[in-house]
Amino acid sequence: MKKISVWKEHTIIPEREELLENRTTEVAVIGAGMAGILTACFLQRQGKKVVVLEAERIGSGQTGNTTAKLTVQHGLLYDKLIRNYGKKKALDYLRANQQAIDLYEQLIKEKGIDCNFERLPSYLYSMKDRDSLIKEASAAASLGIPSRLVSDTELPFEHIGAVRFDNQAQFEPLRFLKEISRELTIFEKTKVLSIHGHTITTRRAKVEAEHIVIATHYPMVNLPGLYFMRQHQERSYVLALSGADKLQGMYYSADHDGISLRSFREFLLIGGGAHRTGEIQGSCGYTALRQKAERYYPGCKEEYCWSAQDCMTHDAIPFIGTYSIIRPYWYVITGFKKWGMTSSMLAAMLISDEICGKKNPYHKLFSPQRIYPAASAKSFFIDMGESIKGLSEGTIRLFSKTSPRCSHMGCALKWNPQEKMWECPCHGSRFEENGSLIDNPAKKDVKSS
């Protein structure tokens, strides 16, 4: 069994040089994941001079750890959107994501990219709550989504129904990313240390840019924006099994402890075991996922395992647009809530239009400056409670000289025994056992006292 995603195992993207000299450009994109690369690609197509800065390797972050589903079916969402925002905004969310999927197909055909793109149905199933499925199916139908509530599926376990969305898609993300990044100016191993106005400082050089796009998964600048108060991070896990029958659809559970399923070549990908970053306890992580794999797919062999991290906004809608009203030339892409592939294309559409002065009908819905519905207050207070608890414990550790504390804001780190990593329950930064930084928003390593 290999601790690497099947995408990283099967795709090698050529290395790019580190930025060693100062540069001036129209647009600087920080982050070479799917969102950053697509945004740079769209901007360059419209005649903009673009530079992409990546701290590690192209696609080495969350893009390389996705399950790569392209679907407008984002869990129990449309009933919630209609209730919280109204039918018009729910329809905007649907249409924006449908357009994103279509653009993937268009790009793939246009460039002749062999990335195993295929159209197939997506199923939202439940083993516990049929009423929620009925409401979701009704909400989807009211928006014109080709969907229906079904009982028969390929799942090898009992469930109480599934909402089927037709004509969705799946693909191989890194093979796609490898091709669309070929013509872009990208600097790898170029970690951004700070951003002040139009100046980006990296380890060995500076970049002056008219526009700066922060596509680092989690925003790296605390002020302005305050994104650390507006979302939290969750981890989820994936196993790739051999020996299972190929699925003709994609599956996602409406239950918190359910599993996600799709096929890729000879493998079955099983996702699940989710938990808030820094709060692994009870039945979650690889342990929970392996128990279900053994129960539902006995005799199959685990070939690969990997994990991913997702930013969860309070209202279930990503933040895509101007970083802050006092930094109108900065842009942010974050809060994909486990639907990063569709949302990455959506981000490229929105950000490129905004920088190029074009009106986009979906701008207001995804704007980071939007007004939250009252229903989001519960999520806000939960996140604030977790942050206060983590900061309080971190302060105690500071004075008692115990360790470790997160280098982002000083929260007490928690040990993840399944991945053998330190995790911050406040804002989701992660560190190796020796304190070396893995995931932002932290920008430096931690040291033991």
Side-chain angles (χ1 to χ4, degrees), residues 186-204:
I186 303 170
F187 293 98
E188 295 183 325
K189 299 296 181 180
T190 302
K191 184 177 181 179
V192 172
L193 303 178
S194 64
I195 311 171
H196 296 288
H198 293 276
T199 304
I200 300 170
T201 301
T202 70
R203 285 183 289 201
R204 300 193 181 185

Side-chain angles (χ1 to χ4, degrees), residues 333-375:
I333 299 173
T334 190
F336 289 169
K337 203 173 183 181
K338 303 188 180 183
W339 304 105
M341 295 299 96
T342 319
S343 298
S344 289
M345 182 65 80
L346 173 58
M349 293 157 46
L350 290 166
I351 298 296
S352 62
D353 279 353
E354 191 164 352
I355 289 176
C356 293
K358 298 179 180 180
K359 290 185 178 181
N360 190 297
Y362 312 122
H363 164 77
K364 288 186 179 180
L365 178 61
F366 296 94
S367 170
Q369 284 74 53
R370 65 180 178 265
I371 298 175
Y372 283 103

Side-chain angles (χ1 to χ4, degrees), residues 314 373-385:
H314 299 151
S376 301
K378 180 180 178 181
S379 296
F380 171 77
F381 285 115
I382 290 174
D383 280 358
M384 286 300 295

Side-chain angles (χ1 to χ4, degrees), residues 6-7 67 238-240 260-264 267-271 306:
V6 289
W7 324 122
T67 52
V238 187
L239 307 179
S260 163
L261 298 159
R262 68 155 287 190
S263 291
F264 166 65
F267 304 110
L268 174 68
L269 308 188
I270 302 182
W306 68 94

